[in-house]
Structure formats: structure tokens, C-alpha cells
Amino acid sequence: MGHKTHPAGFRVGITQNWDSKWFTTSKSEFSRNLVEDTKIRNFIKSNFDYAGIPRVEIARTEDRVTVDLYTARPGVVIGRRGVEVDRIRDEIQGITGKQVEINIKEITDPFMDAQLIAENVALQLVKRTHFRRAMKRAVNQAMESGAKGIKIKCSGRLGGAEIARSEWYKDGKIPLQTLRAEVSYGFAEAKTKYGVIGVKVWLYRGDLIMDKEKEKVGTDAADTKKS
């Protein structure tokens, strides 16, 4: 049996940060905050699935909730004269009962985000684009945008086949076991007339140099200059 782990969860606290940033010692408060975070993300995903929002970060203090929305289409999320932002703020205030601050952060290159790539491929499958064409196009666009490597896997009744199967395309390298590697992971579902097709994307952007390695490199360079 394979021993697989989630690429993002594997790196949390090392090269990636938490999506929810808060702390509590009360079990009842912990469960309440967890349910509220889930409701917030479900509301944003269901109402703005067309806006390209791959990630929602939630930070909490005693009387305030800060929500960072990462989106490839900030104009759609903000709305005309900020109408949509106000609607999001009102809904989250109703869920949490606290003051809410919304921050819109733009994703400049959607082809360098695995979640956006997965959602794009899933959307093409819903529109009856052939799965091989959709996967190859996504791989080429990511590599042209500067990715070091990408892997896309589709699973389900591909092409309307009677038996479900999996197919994947890969270009470059995907070092999943290297902790300093910045690997973005995304998952989306395409609900077609033949059934649900799952789309997984692994995107390798390059290596992140750890603080200790930076210090070591700086020390070595200083020693070289002295000698």
C-alpha cells in the first residue's frame, strides 16, 4: 500500500502557513470557531465560485475576525461600489457575531496556483472539453508561466467510459518529499452527465531557502571574505 500525505498539510509550520490563525484553550470555543470557519468558507465558495478564490485565510482576535480572500478576479469579489464585499461582511458578521474585516488580495498569475488550475480543468470537463486536451493545455500554460514542474490527474468515467479510471500528465519535476520545495496542491470536482470526475493538481514553483540555511550561507560568505 502507498503511504501518501497531503502536500499542504505535510509542510504546514515549515514552509506553509495555517489557513486559520487563532488559538483557544476552551473545547467548546474551539468547536464553535471551527464550525464558523467552515460556514464562512462554504458561503464564499458557493456564492463566488466564478471569482477564482483558491484560498481563504481567517484570523481571529477576541472581538474581531479578519478574512483574507485570495482571488484572481478582485473586481468580481468587490462588486460595483463594494456591494459584494459588504454582503460578505454582513454574512460573516451574522455567522460570528463579531466585527469583520475583509482583505482582498489579488493573484497576479492564476496559472501558478494549483487550485485555480484544478478548477479550470474541472470547468472545461463540465463544458464537455476532452479531458486530455484540457489537461495538456493546463500543463503547457503552467510551464510557460514559469512553473518548475506540474502534474495533473483526472479520475472517474473519463470520456463517458463504462469503467472509471485515472489518467495523468506530468511535465518537469515534483519533489513531494522535499520539505523546502514550494509545492502547491489543488483539488476540484467536475459534475458531468456521466458522473463526478475528480481533478488533482500538483504544482512545483521552486525551492524555499530556510532561515538556518540563509544564516549558514551568510556565515560562510563572511568567513570567505575574512580569509
Side-chain angles (χ1 to χ4, degrees):
M1 297 294 292
H3 297 273
K4 299 177 180 64
T5 186
H6 196 284
F10 188 47
R11 292 169 172 81
V12 166
I14 301 172
T15 58
Q16 294 191 16
N17 210 337
W18 285 261
D19 288 339
S20 293
K21 304 170 185 176
W22 46 267
F23 177 79
T24 179
T25 56
S26 171
K27 290 185 177 180
S28 59
E29 187 177 357
F30 176 87
S31 59
R32 183 173 64 252
N33 290 349
L34 186 61
V35 171
E36 289 178 358
D37 286 3
T38 303
K39 288 182 179 179
I40 292 171
R41 290 192 171 92
N42 289 341
F43 166 76
I44 294 173
K45 200 65 179 176
S46 60
N47 287 271
F48 297 92
D49 57 340
Y50 52 87
I53 303 178
R55 189 166 70 259
V56 178
E57 293 184 355
I58 302 173
R60 293 174 179 266
T61 59
E62 189 174 349
D63 58 349
R64 179 179 291 270
V65 177
T66 303
V67 180
D68 295 339
L69 298 179
Y70 292 82
T71 174
R73 304 174 66 186
V76 176
V77 179
I78 296 172
R80 183 174 295 179
R81 297 180 181 177
V83 174
E84 296 299 334
V85 171
D86 293 338
R87 183 161 73 94
I88 296 174
R89 185 183 295 107
D90 294 340
E91 180 69 22
I92 296 177
Q93 284 179 348
I95 294 174
T96 62
K98 296 180 179 180
Q99 291 183 344
V100 177
E101 179 182 350
I102 306 293
N103 298 321
I104 308 297
K105 300 187 177 182
E106 183 180 5
I107 297 176
T108 56
D109 192 352
F111 298 117
M112 290 294 287
D113 190 286
Q115 182 62 35
L116 291 179
I117 295 174
E119 292 177 1
N120 182 37
V121 173
L123 181 61
Q124 293 183 58
L125 295 179
V126 172
K127 293 181 178 180
R128 299 188 179 184
T129 302
H130 196 272
F131 67 94
R132 288 196 184 96
R133 180 183 300 173
M135 292 166 69
K136 287 181 180 178
R137 183 186 302 167
V139 168
N140 292 333
Q141 288 173 336
M143 296 303 291
E144 289 174 0
S145 295
K148 301 292 185 181
I150 182 174
K151 177 181 176 181
I152 301 180
K153 181 179 180 181
C154 290
S155 302
R157 292 184 59 185
L158 302 176
E162 291 294 328
I163 299 177
R165 68 183 192 277
S166 298
E167 288 200 17
W168 55 271
Y169 283 93
K170 178 183 177 182
D171 194 0
K173 58 181 181 178
I174 310 291
L176 295 180
Q177 298 300 315
T178 306
L179 287 174
R180 68 168 176 266
E182 187 179 6
V183 178
S184 176
Y185 172 77
F187 171 76
E189 291 181 342
K191 298 181 180 179
T192 68
K193 62 178 291 186
Y194 302 108
V196 177
I197 295 178
V199 182
K200 292 181 179 180
V201 177
W202 295 263
L203 182 72
Y204 174 46
R205 299 177 183 145
D207 286 349
L208 295 174
I209 300 177
M210 310 295 234
D211 292 337
K212 291 184 179 179
E213 292 187 21
K214 287 182 180 179
E215 293 176 1
K216 183 179 180 181
V217 170
T219 303
D220 294 342
D223 293 340
T224 303
K225 289 182 180 179
K226 288 180 181 179
S227 59

